[in-house]
């Protein structure tokens, strides 16, 4: 008897059964969230000044955005990807942008719907890389693919960051 793979509802990654569940608010399968936790362990263990963990956080949240997620979370994820990819900000710089925006009281609008989960690069793809250089290259590829998938929100991100941050 063959079983069809389970697909993560956020990124579309096919996998087998998992006893885990993703936290509420994420459109993610338990197995996908386990892969993300593994990546977090790796990125946080680096203790590097560039703080690439921020990039993995923003990318995962953008790729797994859904109806249960707070509007500010989706916005911060896209803003983080924008600054990382279009302005070459490292994770620490993106974190500072998030801190500045977080200190400003706003009513965050919904940026959903999220793109359909048709990604070729997922958190699992990054975790499978064997070397640090390979993981970092795949992380950037994952970031780019996720940012591109959200092209319907690029104008919003550019306009709001220009308005709010100058």
């Amino acid at each position: 008897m063959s079983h069809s793979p389970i697909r993560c509802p956020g990124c579309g990654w096919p996998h087998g059964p998992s006893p885990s569940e993703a936290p509420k608010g994420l459109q993610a399968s338990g197995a996908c969230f386990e892969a993300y936790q593994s990546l977090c362990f790796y990125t946080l263990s680096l203790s590097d000044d560039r703080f690439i963990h921020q990039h993995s956080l923003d990318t995962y949240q953008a790729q797994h955005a859904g109806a249960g997620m707070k509007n500010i979370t989706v916005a911060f994820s896209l803003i983080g990807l924008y600054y990382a990819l279009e302005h070459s900000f490292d994770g620490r710089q993106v974190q500072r942008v998030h801190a500045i925006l977080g200190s400003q009281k706003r009513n965050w609008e919904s940026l959903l719907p999220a793109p359909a989960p048709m990604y070729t690069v997922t958190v699992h793809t990054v975790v499978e890389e064997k070397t640090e250089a390979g993981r970092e290259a795949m992380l950037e590829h994952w970031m780019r693919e996720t940012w591109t998938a959200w092209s319907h929100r690029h104008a919003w991100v550019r306009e709001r960051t220009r308005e709010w941050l100058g």
Side-chain angles (χ1 to χ4, degrees):
M1 172 179 3
S2 73
H3 294 282
S4 297
I6 297 165
R7 291 200 172 268
C8 174
C11 67
W13 171 56
H15 59 81
S18 169
S20 301
E21 289 186 25
K24 288 187 182 205
L26 283 175
Q27 294 292 98
S29 65
C32 186
F33 189 70
E34 285 177 9
Y36 173 64
Q37 288 176 311
S38 176
L39 181 61
C40 286
F41 179 78
Y42 168 74
T43 58
L44 290 170
S45 73
L46 293 174
S47 299
D48 65 339
D49 289 339
R50 297 172 301 128
F51 195 56
I52 65 169
H53 174 72
Q54 185 66 53
H55 300 321
S56 64
L57 172 65
D58 289 337
T59 307
Y60 190 79
Q61 290 181 153
Q63 205 173 64
H64 295 83
M69 190 176 277
K70 292 181 181 180
N71 294 345
I72 190 173
T73 304
V74 178
F76 272 33
S77 296
L78 297 179
I79 290 167
L81 289 172
Y82 166 70
Y83 274 100
L85 295 169
E86 295 196 14
H87 295 281
S88 301
F89 276 31
D90 66 26
R92 292 273 180 231
Q93 292 168 310
V94 168
Q95 199 176 40
R96 283 193 284 279
V97 168
H98 290 335
I100 291 166
L101 291 173
S103 70
Q104 302 170 359
K105 300 294 180 210
R106 0 195 131 269
N107 186 11
W108 293 91
E109 65 188 88
S110 174
L111 299 176
L112 298 176
M118 301 302 287
Y119 296 98
T120 61
V121 181
T122 67
V123 64
H124 187 73
T125 315
V126 179
V127 170
E128 282 185 331
E129 285 294 322
K130 302 293 183 226
T131 66
E132 185 174 334
R135 280 190 198 112
E136 288 197 28
M138 194 55 66
L139 172 59
E140 184 168 341
H141 187 73
W142 182 37
M143 291 166 64
R144 287 191 186 286
E145 184 178 66
T146 302
W147 174 240
T148 299
W150 281 90
S151 62
H152 65 291
R153 291 298 183 194
H154 288 185
W156 182 92
V157 171
R158 289 183 183 109
E159 290 166 13
R160 292 305 160 288
T161 56
R162 188 171 32 255
E163 175 187 338
W164 297 333
L165 300 169

